[in-house]
Amino acid sequence: MITKINDTDIRIEEIGRSTIQRINQSAISGTPNNPIDKLGFGGLTFSVKAYTLTEYEFDELMAQMYEDDVELHVRIGWFYYATVAKLDGKYEESGVDYFPFSATFKTEEPFAYSEDTHDISVAINTNNQTFGGSSIQTYGNVSAVPNITLTGGSEDASILAQTTTW
């Protein structure tokens, strides 16, 4: 399977995915004074055995994974924000045509993010203007919260006040 980490193509030999449900308990579970509270699912753990086809891609990928979180693409059109928890880059002799590594990735949440974005722009020209005319909708198969970014500039001081609530 061909996938990628950030923008570097990798070939996956083996991948495993697991998740853990967070529960809250402090003593003997299930007693009247200590109920088990389900707190939802935590992030995912991915165990990956993969390789790159060039030494340059391998070195670039190792640098990215050591430096910061990565976008782990395990299926077309979707990715996970992941932190590298364990990384084993095997040293190979020169002249080989692949560069293997194994890694364990952890995510904070069990959700994948779409590579597609859908932008809606609305001009706010007057005080007390309401958002209208365009609807914000989710393009996936689950409910999602949109990212709302306010940008702009005006000759007036500002349309929004500190007491404005969202």
Side-chain angles (χ1 to χ4, degrees):
M1 174 167 95
I2 297 176
T3 187
K4 60 185 179 176
I5 296 175
N6 289 343
D7 292 323
T8 304
D9 287 339
I10 62 171
R11 273 70 174 165
I12 291 182
E13 295 176 352
E14 183 180 321
I15 187 167
R17 179 174 70 176
S18 62
T19 187
I20 296 174
Q21 185 169 12
R22 297 177 294 202
I23 59 171
N24 181 25
Q25 66 183 66
S26 59
I28 299 171
S29 60
T31 61
N33 295 332
N34 185 32
I36 298 172
D37 296 323
K38 295 181 182 179
L39 301 175
F41 281 91
L44 299 172
T45 300
F46 289 95
S47 300
V48 177
K49 288 185 180 179
Y51 62 93
T52 63
L53 294 180
T54 68
E55 187 174 14
Y56 174 78
E57 288 177 338
F58 179 82
D59 291 342
E60 214 29 55
L61 189 58
M62 291 297 127
Q64 291 172 11
M65 290 192 291
Y66 285 135
E67 182 180 320
D68 204 357
D69 294 348
V70 296
E71 291 180 4
L72 178 63
H73 301 253
V74 293
R75 58 187 173 130
I76 296 172
W78 297 90
F79 68 91
Y80 294 91
Y81 289 113
T83 300
V84 180
K86 183 180 178 186
L87 181 60
D88 295 321
K90 299 183 173 108
Y91 180 76
E92 296 292 332
E93 295 180 15
S94 60
V96 297
D97 57 353
Y98 72 99
F99 299 86
F101 66 92
S102 61
T104 302
F105 298 94
K106 294 188 180 281
T107 67
E108 289 187 28
E109 58 221 2
F111 306 114
Y113 291 84
S114 175
E115 291 178 355
D116 297 330
T117 60
H118 302 277
D119 296 329
I120 298 171
S121 295
V122 174
I124 300 175
N125 301 315
T126 61
N127 261 342
N128 298 322
Q129 179 178 341
T130 59
F131 182 88
S134 299
S135 62
I136 298 174
Q137 68 182 39
T138 304
Y139 288 89
N141 59 0
V142 296
S143 299
V145 178
N147 289 331
I148 299 174
T149 305
L150 294 177
T151 58
S154 67
E155 295 174 10
D156 298 330
S158 177
I159 294 174
L160 300 175
Q162 286 183 331
T163 58
T164 303
T165 58
W166 292 79

